[in-house]
Amino acid sequence: MSDLRDRVQVNARFFHLAGGLLDRFLDEGLNPEIGLFAKDLDEYGPDQFREAEKALRDRGLRPTVHGPFVDLSPGSPDPLVLAATRRRFEQLVEAVEILRPRSVTCHLGFEHSRHGYFKEFWLEQSLTTWRWLARELRDRGARLMLENTFERAPEEMLPALNELSSLGVGLCLDVGHLNLFSAAKVAQWVEEAGPCLGQLHLHDNFGHRDDHLPIGQGRIDYPAVFRNLAYLPEPLTVTMEVGIEGAPLSFAALEQLWPW
């Protein structure tokens, strides 16, 4: 258990950490994946970020970060939407400068139902956004990870990942999202996108909604997931997106599955 605690992140919004939850992470020796969404970026600033970074560093803990994604569109053809997306990412970079995470996860954000009819344009437009962000994060010691959400198969992410590989951008494979939204199974994702894999997001569901249940409390066949992952080198980091309350059950399940 203690070894896994050193090697696994647990998600928490920054405003929850600032409201007192950080003390639990420190007491339990948990590395947080800090969610920096609109509320977190607008209501908190350098002083609070600096205080949290110091508290984690003093305990030998290092965060990862999950960047904003709701209603953002890095490949939008609308200049106003693109400017809003860019501004949120600028705020993200400012926070990363202080928090010093090892990696930053963002949603690629491609949805076939919305963007499929201008897919090539959307991809090229988004690459401009991601190249800028990847360089900014790399200069601050963090690696950009692009996460699957509504993408139906690895082929909808691989063009971007391949174009950005020279900047160290990797795939954050979200197993819960894969179970909900992907027509391709985990074996296909690992086979086709395995070389890009840099991070895992682990949580469970019953295939109907994005419940973010503790591992083993839904319908995802996690033994099969890890049988496929066992053939890969260890990812940069693994995040249990189950919140601190779901962490004990997830750690207990993960101890039986961890292949590395």
Coordinates of all heavy atoms in Angstrom, one line a residue, residues 2-72:
S2 N 1.9 1.3 0.9 CA 2.7 2.5 1.0 C 3.4 2.8 -0.3 O 3.5 3.9 -0.7 CB 3.7 2.4 2.1 OG 4.5 1.3 1.9
D3 N 3.8 1.7 -1.0 CA 4.5 1.9 -2.3 C 3.6 2.5 -3.3 O 4.0 3.4 -4.1 CB 5.1 0.6 -2.8 CG 5.9 0.7 -4.1 OD1 6.8 1.5 -4.1 OD2 5.5 0.0 -5.1
L4 N 2.4 2.0 -3.4 CA 1.4 2.5 -4.3 C 1.0 4.0 -4.0 O 0.8 4.8 -4.9 CB 0.1 1.7 -4.4 CG 0.2 0.4 -5.1 CD1 -1.1 -0.3 -5.1 CD2 0.7 0.6 -6.6
R5 N 0.9 4.3 -2.7 CA 0.7 5.7 -2.4 C 1.7 6.6 -2.9 O 1.4 7.8 -3.3 CB 0.6 5.8 -0.8 CG -0.7 5.3 -0.3 CD -0.7 5.4 1.2 NE -2.0 4.9 1.8 CZ -3.1 5.6 2.0 NH1 -3.1 6.9 1.7 NH2 -4.2 5.0 2.5
D6 N 3.0 6.2 -2.9 CA 4.0 7.0 -3.5 C 3.9 7.2 -5.0 O 4.4 8.1 -5.5 CB 5.4 6.4 -3.1 CG 5.7 6.4 -1.7 OD1 5.1 7.2 -0.9 OD2 6.5 5.6 -1.2
R7 N 3.3 6.2 -5.7 CA 3.4 6.1 -7.1 C 2.1 6.5 -7.8 O 2.0 6.6 -9.0 CB 3.8 4.7 -7.6 CG 5.1 4.3 -6.9 CD 5.4 2.8 -7.2 NE 5.7 2.6 -8.5 CZ 6.0 1.3 -9.0 NH1 6.0 0.3 -8.2 NH2 6.4 1.1 -10.2
V8 N 1.0 6.8 -7.0 CA -0.3 7.0 -7.6 C -0.8 8.4 -7.1 O -0.6 8.8 -6.0 CB -1.3 5.9 -7.2 CG1 -2.7 6.2 -7.6 CG2 -0.8 4.6 -7.8
Q9 N -1.5 9.1 -8.0 CA -2.2 10.4 -7.7 C -3.7 10.1 -7.4 O -4.3 9.2 -7.8 CB -2.1 11.3 -8.9 CG -0.7 11.4 -9.5 CD 0.3 12.1 -8.7 OE1 1.4 11.6 -8.5 NE2 0.0 13.3 -8.3
V10 N -4.2 11.0 -6.6 CA -5.7 11.0 -6.3 C -6.2 12.4 -6.6 O -5.7 13.4 -6.2 CB -6.0 10.6 -4.8 CG1 -7.5 10.7 -4.5 CG2 -5.4 9.2 -4.5
N11 N -7.3 12.4 -7.3 CA -7.8 13.7 -7.8 C -8.5 14.6 -6.8 O -9.1 14.0 -5.8 CB -8.8 13.6 -9.0 CG -10.1 12.9 -8.6 OD1 -10.1 11.8 -8.0 ND2 -11.2 13.5 -9.0
A12 N -8.4 15.9 -6.9 CA -9.1 16.8 -6.0 C -9.0 18.2 -6.6 O -8.0 18.6 -7.2 CB -8.4 16.9 -4.6
R13 N -10.2 18.9 -6.6 CA -10.2 20.3 -7.1 C -9.4 21.2 -6.2 O -9.3 21.0 -4.9 CB -11.6 20.8 -7.2 CG -12.5 20.1 -8.2 CD -12.2 20.7 -9.6 NE -12.5 22.1 -9.7 CZ -13.7 22.6 -9.9 NH1 -14.7 21.8 -10.1 NH2 -13.9 23.9 -10.0
F14 N -8.8 22.2 -6.7 CA -8.0 23.1 -5.9 C -8.8 23.8 -4.8 O -8.4 24.0 -3.7 CB -7.2 24.1 -6.7 CG -6.3 24.9 -5.9 CD1 -5.0 24.4 -5.6 CD2 -6.6 26.1 -5.3 CE1 -4.1 25.1 -4.7 CE2 -5.8 26.9 -4.5 CZ -4.5 26.3 -4.2
F15 N -10.0 24.2 -5.2 CA -10.8 24.9 -4.2 C -11.2 24.0 -3.0 O -11.3 24.5 -1.9 CB -12.1 25.6 -4.8 CG -13.3 24.7 -5.0 CD1 -14.2 24.5 -4.1 CD2 -13.4 24.0 -6.3 CE1 -15.3 23.7 -4.3 CE2 -14.5 23.2 -6.5 CZ -15.5 23.0 -5.5
H16 N -11.3 22.7 -3.2 CA -11.5 21.8 -2.1 C -10.2 21.7 -1.2 O -10.3 21.7 0.0 CB -11.9 20.4 -2.6 CG -13.3 20.3 -3.1 ND1 -13.7 19.6 -4.2 CD2 -14.4 20.9 -2.6 CE1 -15.0 19.7 -4.4 NE2 -15.4 20.5 -3.4
L17 N -9.0 21.6 -1.9 CA -7.8 21.6 -1.2 C -7.6 22.8 -0.3 O -7.2 22.7 0.9 CB -6.6 21.4 -2.1 CG -6.5 20.1 -2.9 CD1 -5.4 20.2 -4.0 CD2 -6.3 18.9 -2.0
A18 N -7.9 24.0 -0.9 CA -7.7 25.2 -0.2 C -8.7 25.3 0.9 O -8.5 26.1 1.9 CB -7.9 26.4 -1.2
G19 N -9.9 24.6 0.8 CA -10.9 24.7 1.9 C -10.6 23.7 3.0 O -11.5 23.6 3.9
G20 N -9.5 23.0 3.0 CA -9.2 22.2 4.1 C -8.8 20.8 3.8 O -8.2 20.0 4.6
L21 N -9.1 20.3 2.5 CA -8.8 19.0 2.1 C -7.4 18.7 2.0 O -6.9 17.5 2.1 CB -9.6 18.7 0.8 CG -9.6 17.2 0.4 CD1 -10.3 16.3 1.4 CD2 -10.3 17.1 -1.0
L22 N -6.6 19.7 1.7 CA -5.1 19.5 1.6 C -4.5 18.9 2.8 O -3.6 18.0 2.7 CB -4.4 20.9 1.3 CG -2.9 20.8 1.2 CD1 -2.5 19.9 0.0 CD2 -2.3 22.2 1.0
D23 N -5.1 19.2 4.0 CA -4.5 18.6 5.3 C -4.7 17.1 5.2 O -3.8 16.3 5.7 CB -5.2 19.2 6.5 CG -4.8 20.6 6.7 OD1 -3.7 21.0 6.3 OD2 -5.6 21.3 7.4
R24 N -5.8 16.6 4.7 CA -6.0 15.1 4.6 C -5.0 14.5 3.7 O -4.4 13.4 3.9 CB -7.4 14.8 4.2 CG -8.4 14.9 5.3 CD -9.8 14.3 4.9 NE -9.6 12.8 4.6 CZ -10.6 12.1 4.2 NH1 -11.8 12.6 3.9 NH2 -10.5 10.8 3.9
F25 N -4.7 15.1 2.5 CA -3.7 14.6 1.6 C -2.4 14.6 2.3 O -1.6 13.6 2.1 CB -3.7 15.5 0.3 CG -4.7 15.1 -0.7 CD1 -6.0 15.4 -0.6 CD2 -4.3 14.3 -1.8 CE1 -6.9 15.1 -1.6 CE2 -5.2 13.9 -2.8 CZ -6.5 14.3 -2.6
L26 N -2.0 15.6 3.0 CA -0.7 15.6 3.7 C -0.7 14.6 4.8 O 0.3 13.8 4.9 CB -0.5 17.0 4.3 CG -0.5 18.2 3.4 CD1 -0.4 19.5 4.1 CD2 0.7 18.1 2.4
D27 N -1.7 14.4 5.6 CA -1.7 13.4 6.7 C -1.7 12.0 6.1 O -1.1 11.1 6.8 CB -3.0 13.6 7.5 CG -3.0 14.9 8.3 OD1 -1.9 15.5 8.5 OD2 -4.1 15.3 8.8
E28 N -2.3 11.8 5.0 CA -2.4 10.4 4.5 C -1.3 10.1 3.4 O -1.2 9.0 2.9 CB -3.8 10.1 3.9 CG -4.9 10.2 4.9 CD -6.3 10.0 4.3 OE1 -6.4 9.3 3.3 OE2 -7.3 10.5 4.9
G29 N -0.5 11.1 3.2 CA 0.7 10.9 2.3 C 0.2 10.7 0.8 O 0.9 9.9 0.1
L30 N -0.8 11.4 0.4 CA -1.3 11.2 -1.0 C -0.9 12.3 -1.9 O -0.9 13.5 -1.6 CB -2.9 11.1 -0.9 CG -3.5 10.0 -0.2 CD1 -5.0 10.2 -0.1 CD2 -3.1 8.7 -0.8
N31 N -0.4 11.9 -3.1 CA -0.1 12.9 -4.1 C -1.4 13.3 -4.9 O -2.1 12.4 -5.4 CB 0.9 12.2 -5.2 CG 2.2 11.9 -4.6 OD1 3.0 12.8 -4.2 ND2 2.5 10.6 -4.4
P32 N -1.7 14.6 -4.9 CA -2.9 15.0 -5.5 C -2.8 15.2 -7.0 O -1.7 15.6 -7.5 CB -3.3 16.3 -4.9 CG -1.9 16.9 -4.5 CD -1.0 15.7 -4.2
E33 N -3.8 14.9 -7.8 CA -4.0 15.4 -9.1 C -4.9 16.6 -8.9 O -6.1 16.5 -8.6 CB -4.6 14.4 -10.1 CG -4.9 15.0 -11.5 CD -5.7 14.2 -12.4 OE1 -6.9 14.1 -12.2 OE2 -5.1 13.5 -13.3
I34 N -4.4 17.8 -9.1 CA -5.1 19.1 -8.7 C -5.9 19.5 -9.9 O -5.4 19.8 -11.0 CB -4.1 20.2 -8.3 CG1 -3.3 19.7 -7.1 CG2 -4.9 21.4 -8.0 CD1 -2.3 20.7 -6.7
G35 N -7.2 19.6 -9.8 CA -8.1 20.1 -10.8 C -8.1 21.6 -10.8 O -8.5 22.2 -9.8
L36 N -7.7 22.2 -11.9 CA -7.7 23.6 -12.0 C -8.7 24.0 -13.1 O -8.4 24.1 -14.3 CB -6.3 24.1 -12.4 CG -5.2 24.0 -11.3 CD1 -3.9 24.4 -11.9 CD2 -5.6 24.7 -10.1
F37 N -10.0 24.2 -12.7 CA -11.0 24.5 -13.6 C -11.4 26.0 -13.4 O -10.6 26.8 -12.8 CB -12.2 23.6 -13.4 CG -11.9 22.1 -13.5 CD1 -12.6 21.2 -12.9 CD2 -10.8 21.7 -14.3 CE1 -12.3 19.8 -13.0 CE2 -10.4 20.4 -14.3 CZ -11.2 19.4 -13.7
A38 N -12.5 26.5 -14.0 CA -12.8 27.9 -14.0 C -12.8 28.5 -12.6 O -12.2 29.5 -12.3 CB -14.1 28.1 -14.7
K39 N -13.5 27.9 -11.6 CA -13.6 28.4 -10.3 C -12.2 28.4 -9.6 O -11.9 29.4 -9.0 CB -14.6 27.5 -9.4 CG -14.7 27.9 -8.0 CD -15.6 26.9 -7.2 CE -15.7 27.2 -5.8 NZ -16.5 28.5 -5.5
D40 N -11.5 27.4 -9.8 CA -10.1 27.3 -9.2 C -9.2 28.4 -9.7 O -8.4 29.0 -9.0 CB -9.5 25.9 -9.4 CG -10.5 24.8 -9.1 OD1 -10.7 24.5 -7.9 OD2 -11.1 24.2 -10.1
L41 N -9.3 28.7 -11.0 CA -8.4 29.6 -11.7 C -8.8 31.1 -11.4 O -8.0 32.0 -11.4 CB -8.3 29.3 -13.2 CG -7.6 28.0 -13.5 CD1 -7.8 27.7 -15.0 CD2 -6.1 28.1 -13.2
D42 N -10.1 31.3 -11.3 CA -10.6 32.6 -11.1 C -10.6 33.1 -9.7 O -10.5 34.3 -9.4 CB -12.1 32.8 -11.7 CG -12.1 32.8 -13.2 OD1 -11.1 33.0 -13.8 OD2 -13.2 32.5 -13.7
E43 N -10.8 32.2 -8.7 CA -10.9 32.6 -7.3 C -9.7 32.4 -6.5 O -9.6 32.8 -5.3 CB -12.1 31.8 -6.7 CG -13.4 32.1 -7.3 CD -14.6 31.4 -6.6 OE1 -14.4 30.8 -5.5 OE2 -15.7 31.4 -7.2
Y44 N -8.6 31.8 -7.1 CA -7.4 31.6 -6.3 C -6.2 32.1 -7.2 O -6.4 32.2 -8.4 CB -7.2 30.1 -6.0 CG -8.3 29.6 -5.1 CD1 -9.5 29.1 -5.6 CD2 -8.2 29.7 -3.7 CE1 -10.5 28.7 -4.7 CE2 -9.2 29.3 -2.8 CZ -10.4 28.8 -3.4 OH -11.4 28.4 -2.5
G45 N -5.1 32.4 -6.5 CA -4.0 32.9 -7.3 C -2.7 32.5 -6.7 O -2.6 31.5 -6.0
P46 N -1.6 33.3 -7.0 CA -0.3 32.9 -6.7 C 0.0 32.6 -5.2 O 0.7 31.6 -4.9 CB 0.6 34.1 -7.1 CG -0.2 34.7 -8.3 CD -1.7 34.5 -7.9
D47 N -0.6 33.3 -4.3 CA -0.3 33.1 -2.9 C -0.9 31.8 -2.4 O -0.2 31.0 -1.7 CB -1.0 34.2 -2.1 CG -0.3 35.6 -2.2 OD1 0.9 35.6 -2.7 OD2 -0.9 36.6 -1.9
Q48 N -2.1 31.4 -2.9 CA -2.7 30.1 -2.4 C -1.9 29.0 -3.1 O -1.7 28.0 -2.5 CB -4.1 30.1 -2.8 CG -5.0 31.1 -1.9 CD -5.2 32.4 -2.7 OE1 -4.5 32.8 -3.6 NE2 -6.3 33.1 -2.3
F49 N -1.6 29.2 -4.4 CA -0.9 28.1 -5.1 C 0.5 27.9 -4.5 O 1.0 26.7 -4.3 CB -0.7 28.4 -6.6 CG -2.0 28.5 -7.4 CD1 -2.1 29.4 -8.4 CD2 -3.1 27.7 -7.0 CE1 -3.3 29.6 -9.1 CE2 -4.3 27.8 -7.8 CZ -4.4 28.7 -8.8
R50 N 1.2 29.0 -4.1 CA 2.5 28.9 -3.5 C 2.4 28.1 -2.1 O 3.3 27.3 -1.8 CB 3.1 30.2 -3.4 CG 4.6 30.3 -3.1 CD 5.2 31.7 -3.2 NE 5.1 32.1 -4.6 CZ 4.3 33.1 -5.1 NH1 3.5 33.7 -4.2 NH2 4.4 33.5 -6.3
E51 N 1.4 28.5 -1.4 CA 1.2 27.8 -0.1 C 1.0 26.3 -0.2 O 1.6 25.5 0.5 CB 0.1 28.5 0.7 CG -0.2 27.9 2.1 CD -1.3 28.6 2.8 OE1 -1.8 29.6 2.2 OE2 -1.7 28.1 3.8
A52 N 0.2 25.9 -1.2 CA -0.1 24.5 -1.4 C 1.2 23.8 -1.9 O 1.5 22.7 -1.4 CB -1.2 24.3 -2.4
E53 N 1.9 24.4 -2.8 CA 3.1 23.8 -3.3 C 4.1 23.5 -2.2 O 4.7 22.4 -2.2 CB 3.7 24.6 -4.4 CG 4.8 24.0 -5.2 CD 6.2 24.1 -4.5 OE1 6.4 25.1 -3.8 OE2 7.0 23.2 -4.7
K54 N 4.3 24.5 -1.4 CA 5.3 24.3 -0.3 C 4.9 23.2 0.7 O 5.7 22.4 1.1 CB 5.5 25.7 0.5 CG 6.5 25.6 1.6 CD 6.7 26.9 2.3 CE 7.8 26.9 3.3 NZ 7.7 25.7 4.2
A55 N 3.6 23.2 1.0 CA 3.1 22.2 1.9 C 3.3 20.8 1.4 O 3.7 19.9 2.1 CB 1.6 22.4 2.2
L56 N 3.0 20.6 0.1 CA 3.3 19.3 -0.6 C 4.7 19.0 -0.6 O 5.2 17.8 -0.3 CB 2.7 19.3 -2.0 CG 1.1 19.4 -2.0 CD1 0.7 19.7 -3.4 CD2 0.5 18.0 -1.6
R57 N 5.5 19.9 -1.0 CA 7.0 19.7 -1.1 C 7.6 19.3 0.2 O 8.5 18.5 0.3 CB 7.7 20.9 -1.8 CG 9.2 20.8 -1.9 CD 9.7 21.9 -2.8 NE 9.1 23.2 -2.7 CZ 9.4 24.1 -1.8 NH1 10.4 23.9 -1.0 NH2 8.7 25.3 -1.8
D58 N 7.2 20.0 1.3 CA 7.7 19.7 2.6 C 7.4 18.3 3.1 O 8.1 17.7 3.9 CB 7.1 20.7 3.6 CG 7.7 22.1 3.5 OD1 8.7 22.2 2.7 OD2 7.2 23.1 4.1
R59 N 6.3 17.7 2.5 CA 6.0 16.3 2.8 C 6.5 15.3 1.8 O 6.2 14.1 1.9 CB 4.5 16.2 3.0 CG 3.9 16.9 4.1 CD 4.3 16.4 5.5 NE 3.6 17.1 6.5 CZ 2.5 16.8 7.1 NH1 1.8 15.7 6.7 NH2 2.0 17.5 8.1
G60 N 7.3 15.8 0.9 CA 7.8 14.9 -0.2 C 6.8 14.5 -1.2 O 7.0 13.4 -1.9
L61 N 5.8 15.3 -1.4 CA 4.7 15.0 -2.3 C 4.8 15.9 -3.5 O 5.2 17.0 -3.4 CB 3.3 15.1 -1.7 CG 3.1 14.3 -0.4 CD1 1.8 14.7 0.3 CD2 3.1 12.8 -0.7
R62 N 4.4 15.4 -4.7 CA 4.4 16.2 -5.9 C 3.1 16.0 -6.6 O 2.7 14.9 -6.9 CB 5.6 15.9 -6.8 CG 5.7 16.9 -7.9 CD 6.9 16.6 -8.8 NE 7.1 17.6 -9.9 CZ 7.9 17.5 -10.9 NH1 8.8 16.5 -10.9 NH2 8.0 18.4 -11.8
P63 N 2.4 17.1 -7.0 CA 1.2 16.9 -7.7 C 1.3 16.7 -9.2 O 2.4 16.9 -9.8 CB 0.5 18.3 -7.5 CG 1.7 19.3 -7.5 CD 2.8 18.5 -6.8
T64 N 0.2 16.3 -9.8 CA -0.1 16.4 -11.2 C -1.2 17.4 -11.3 O -1.8 17.8 -10.3 CB -0.5 15.1 -11.9 OG1 -1.5 14.5 -11.2 CG2 0.7 14.2 -11.9
V65 N -1.6 17.9 -12.5 CA -2.6 18.9 -12.6 C -3.6 18.4 -13.7 O -3.1 17.8 -14.7 CB -2.0 20.3 -13.0 CG1 -3.1 21.2 -13.7 CG2 -1.5 20.9 -11.7
H66 N -4.8 18.7 -13.5 CA -5.8 18.5 -14.6 C -6.3 19.9 -15.0 O -6.8 20.6 -14.2 CB -7.0 17.6 -14.1 CG -7.9 17.1 -15.3 ND1 -8.3 17.9 -16.3 CD2 -8.3 15.9 -15.5 CE1 -9.0 17.2 -17.1 NE2 -9.0 15.9 -16.7
G67 N -6.1 20.2 -16.3 CA -6.5 21.5 -16.8 C -7.9 21.7 -17.1 O -8.7 20.7 -17.1
P68 N -8.4 22.9 -17.3 CA -9.8 23.2 -17.6 C -10.2 22.6 -18.9 O -9.4 22.5 -19.8 CB -9.8 24.7 -17.6 CG -8.5 25.1 -18.0 CD -7.5 24.1 -17.4
F69 N -11.5 22.3 -19.0 CA -12.0 21.7 -20.3 C -13.4 22.0 -20.6 O -13.8 22.0 -21.8 CB -11.8 20.2 -20.3 CG -12.6 19.5 -19.2 CD1 -13.9 19.0 -19.5 CD2 -12.0 19.3 -18.0 CE1 -14.6 18.4 -18.5 CE2 -12.7 18.6 -17.0 CZ -14.0 18.2 -17.2
V70 N -14.2 22.3 -19.6 CA -15.7 22.5 -19.8 C -15.9 23.7 -20.8 O -15.5 24.8 -20.6 CB -16.4 22.8 -18.5 CG1 -17.9 23.1 -18.8 CG2 -16.3 21.5 -17.6
D71 N -16.6 23.4 -21.9 CA -17.0 24.4 -22.9 C -15.8 25.0 -23.7 O -16.0 26.0 -24.4 CB -17.8 25.5 -22.3 CG -19.2 25.1 -21.9 OD1 -19.7 24.1 -22.5 OD2 -19.8 25.7 -21.0
L72 N -14.6 24.5 -23.4 CA -13.4 25.0 -24.2 C -13.3 24.2 -25.5 O -13.7 23.0 -25.6 CB -12.2 24.8 -23.4 CG -12.1 25.5 -22.0 CD1 -10.8 25.4 -21.4 CD2 -12.5 27.0 -22.2

